Amino acid sequence: VVLKLSSEYQSISQRKATIHDIFVVFFQGLSSLRLYRLQQNTPELYSMGMSVLRQFQSWVTHSEWNFENKLLLLEAEVHFSKGEHDLAEEKYLAAIESARKHRFVHEEGLSNELLSTFYKSRREDKKGQEFMMNAILCYRKWGAFGLLAQPRFQDFNVGK
């Protein structure tokens, strides 16, 4: 699916992007990098993630407010994918702070959730749980109760 979106990404990069386009590209980058980590022998996935990262480096020059936290989160995922754990952690924390500062509570939640995944992959379960709880609080504040009903949140006794 991610590779199929590659052609859509190419057409977006050649025209003026809509808000929908920007989110398609953002999640394509996150998905590509995650899949790359799970399937290490897929350089095209890493390449796609890096293309998206470069696009956000360009977009952030037009609006730091809208794109900084997304760029930082993509950078965190790149560092995680490369095994650069200290840099990844630094970028995740910066993405959380940027999303909070710019009042993107849903993206603050996403950054917390991905940092939780990062910590759990390193067997730092206590930190992982702490950041998952932060994600849940953000999603609850955003009103994403359907999201919170998903199985991955059930261990946290999430209620309204």
Side-chain angles (χ1 to χ4, degrees):
V1 171
V2 171
L3 294 176
K4 183 180 173 194
L5 288 172
S6 174
S7 61
E8 183 177 341
Y9 169 73
Q10 294 304 324
S11 85
I12 291 170
S13 65
Q14 297 170 5
R15 63 180 162 78
K16 194 168 192 167
T18 66
I19 191 71
H20 175 264
D21 295 334
I22 290 164
F23 280 102
V24 166
V25 171
F26 177 57
F27 286 107
Q28 182 178 8
L30 293 177
S31 299
S32 296
L33 292 165
R34 178 175 174 83
L35 288 171
Y36 172 75
R37 278 197 307 277
L38 296 174
Q39 306 168 4
Q40 283 291 315
N41 60 350
T42 51
E44 60 274 2
L45 291 170
Y46 182 76
S47 178
M48 175 55 63
M50 291 305 295
S51 292
V52 169
L53 177 74
R54 286 188 295 275
Q55 182 63 66
F56 273 85
Q57 288 170 333
S58 171
W59 284 339
V60 80
T61 65
H62 299 287
S63 177
E64 185 177 302
W65 184 276
N66 286 312
F67 299 114
E68 179 185 66
N69 71 295
K70 295 170 190 66
L71 174 61
L72 290 165
L73 189 55
L74 287 163
E75 289 174 339
E77 289 288 298
V78 167
H79 289 302
F80 185 15
S81 297
K82 292 167 62 178
E84 299 169 345
H85 296 140
D86 290 342
L87 290 171
E89 181 179 38
E90 179 182 311
K91 294 292 183 173
Y92 283 120
L93 292 169
I96 291 166
E97 182 56 34
S98 176
R100 182 180 303 125
K101 179 174 81 174
H102 297 127
R103 298 187 299 271
F104 293 119
V105 69
H106 58 299
E107 292 172 6
E108 181 183 349
L110 177 61
S111 297
N112 273 285
E113 185 176 352
L114 293 180
L115 179 54
S116 171
T117 299
F118 167 79
Y119 282 133
K120 288 177 184 177
S121 77
R122 300 187 66 214
R123 304 206 191 298
E124 295 183 55
D125 293 337
K126 187 173 180 175
K127 283 184 178 180
Q129 288 181 340
E130 174 188 341
F131 283 93
M132 183 58 85
M133 286 305 302
N134 291 345
I136 289 168
L137 292 173
C138 289
Y139 293 148
R140 187 178 291 148
K141 183 176 179 180
W142 191 42
F145 299 110
L147 175 67
L148 292 172
Q150 293 181 2
R152 70 181 187 264
F153 297 109
Q154 295 312 303
D155 291 342
F156 295 92
N157 193 19
V158 178
K160 291 186 179 181

